[in-house]
Each structure stands twice: as structure tokens, then as C-alpha cells.
Amino acid sequence: MPLSLSSEQTRKILSNPSFRELTAARARLRWGLSIVTLLMFFGFIGLISAASSALGKSMAGGAVPLGMSIALGMIAMVVALTGYYVRRSNTYFDGLTQLVRRECGR
């Protein structure tokens, strides 16, 4: 069941300093992680177009090509960034959310 708020309750929440801090912090983190992820992926695509022959060569005589190692590293980085977001959300953001609820009577 959706939660309906009066216009007065909505104004109270939107003007709450803790709510503003929560939304600003979430936006900064979301944009920061998105930019890092996009730079990684577009950087990799640029690397493929500029040095595709080097990416096909094996590293130090191993069986795994350099391009595959970089791709797996990027996947691991995205998983790590997701873990960081979840941890930050479960600690800092959840605390701010509870504070906003207490201050706004919800």
C-alpha cells in the first residue's frame, strides 16, 4: 500500500536539513561511482580500438590473454564498487533515513 503524505508533511520533509544531507550524499556517491564505472568501460573500449593486438597477447607466457585479464579485473572492480555502495548505504544512509523519520514524525 503506497504511503500518502499531505502537502504539509511533504514540505516538512523536503525542508529538513537531514533529508537534504541524505539526498545530496546519495547523489554524490551515485554520480561518483557511475563516472568511475563509465570511465572504466569506455576506457576499455578505447583500449580495444587502439591496441587490440596487444590485448590478444598472453601475459608472461601464460594462457590468459591480457585483454581477458583486464576485463575480469573490471568485473571485479564493479563488484567491489557495488559492495562499497551497499556498505555505505547500510551504514551512513540508513542512519540518516532513521534520523529524518524521527525528526519528521514517521
Side-chain angles (χ1 to χ4, degrees):
M1 177 192 292
L3 178 67
S4 60
L5 299 172
S6 69
S7 60
E8 179 59 35
Q9 289 171 319
T10 302
R11 276 194 292 278
K12 184 178 179 182
I13 292 169
L14 292 175
S15 66
N16 184 290
S18 298
F19 178 77
R20 289 179 183 213
E21 180 184 347
L22 171 66
T23 56
R26 286 182 67 189
R28 277 191 309 272
L29 182 60
R30 185 176 52 246
W31 279 108
L33 294 177
S34 296
I35 288 169
V36 168
T37 303
L38 287 172
L39 286 174
M40 272 191 327
F41 281 104
F42 284 116
F44 185 64
I45 291 170
L47 189 61
I48 289 170
S49 67
S52 59
S53 61
L55 294 175
K57 294 181 180 171
S58 297
M59 295 185 338
V64 179
L66 177 62
M68 181 64 76
S69 298
I70 294 172
L72 292 174
M74 286 177 36
I75 291 169
M77 183 66 171
V78 168
V79 169
L81 291 174
T82 302
Y84 175 73
Y85 180 82
V86 169
R87 181 170 183 219
R88 184 79 170 156
S89 179
N90 288 340
T91 56
Y92 182 67
F93 297 148
D94 283 354
L96 273 177
T97 301
Q98 294 302 322
L99 180 63
V100 170
R101 284 184 176 168
R102 280 193 305 271
E103 290 174 350
C104 295
R106 280 276 181 198

